[in-house]
Amino acid sequence: MKKKNTKKSKPKVKKSQETYRVRNWSDYNKSLVNRGNLSVWISEDAIKHWHNLESSGKKGASNTYSDLAIEACLMVKMLFKLDYRKTQGLVNSLFSLMGISLSSPDYTTISRRLAKLKVKLPLKDIGEKINLVIDLTGIKVYGEGEWKVRSHGWSKRRT
């Protein structure tokens, strides 16, 4: 009988590619900090039209929140991949941090109204900066610089 080789062989490990070495630590740290930067703009017109002022003309109470408010909450939900309850909490905390005396629609209201709204949520590349802009025309998600260009026009140096 032949003896079995009891010696275990080590798995072959491929040599990985050369790793990137950070040379400028201050810039690297700033870029990591800026990953958590959140900028939210809400126009005065959007604040005025957050609540529904029109009556539906049907039996029962009219909607308390406008379609703009529901769409804004849904956009926040999509951007941060949150549940409805977490979305309600985040929007309420954003309003309190900004000093705006508004409240978020209830999570059940958001989910019920979603079925009636035709919302087109744009998908953006994960790597780029996202600007969330809420104005009278609705909520928009812009990449880096798009909102500035739309508001202020093209820069002379860069287009």
Side-chain angles (χ1 to χ4, degrees):
M1 286 210 293
K2 291 184 180 179
K3 288 185 176 180
K4 290 185 179 178
N5 189 359
T6 57
K7 194 176 183 181
K8 292 184 179 179
S9 63
K10 292 183 181 178
K12 293 181 181 179
V13 178
K14 293 181 181 179
K15 287 188 176 180
S16 64
Q17 295 178 353
E18 197 171 314
T19 57
Y20 175 76
R21 298 199 185 268
V22 176
R23 304 279 186 222
N24 191 343
W25 282 98
S26 63
D27 285 347
Y28 178 69
N29 286 333
K30 286 178 188 175
S31 70
L32 291 178
V33 169
N34 285 335
R35 287 183 186 177
N37 190 5
L38 174 67
S39 299
V40 179
W41 293 279
I42 301 177
S43 73
E44 292 295 325
D45 292 332
I47 293 171
K48 289 178 188 174
H49 292 92
W50 188 259
H51 292 284
N52 191 14
L53 303 175
E54 302 172 3
S55 84
S56 63
K58 299 178 182 177
K59 286 185 178 181
S62 297
N63 292 330
T64 305
Y65 296 97
S66 65
D67 290 344
L68 168 76
I70 302 298
E71 189 178 346
C73 292
L74 288 171
M75 186 66 70
V76 169
K77 179 185 181 322
M78 185 220 45
L79 283 175
F80 298 108
K81 297 176 183 163
L82 299 173
D83 297 330
Y84 287 108
R85 289 179 176 96
K86 291 177 186 175
T87 302
Q88 179 185 354
L90 179 61
V91 172
N92 281 333
S93 66
L94 284 174
F95 286 154
S96 67
L97 287 172
M98 295 173 77
I100 299 172
S101 61
L102 290 176
S103 63
S104 170
D106 190 60
Y107 63 92
T108 55
T109 303
I110 298 170
S111 64
R112 273 188 289 116
R113 296 272 303 275
L114 172 62
K116 297 175 187 174
L117 283 179
K118 293 183 180 177
V119 180
K120 199 175 200 180
L121 300 176
L123 297 176
K124 288 285 183 181
D125 198 14
I126 294 172
E128 68 181 68
K129 207 181 247 187
I130 296 174
N131 291 312
L132 178 66
V133 180
I134 303 172
D135 61 5
L136 185 59
T137 61
I139 186 165
K140 309 281 188 304
V141 175
Y142 293 104
E144 185 176 6
E146 289 179 71
W147 178 78
K148 185 185 87 115
V149 168
R150 184 169 181 218
S151 299
H152 305 291
W154 291 102
S155 170
K156 292 179 183 176
R157 294 184 183 177
R158 233 182 196 180
T159 57

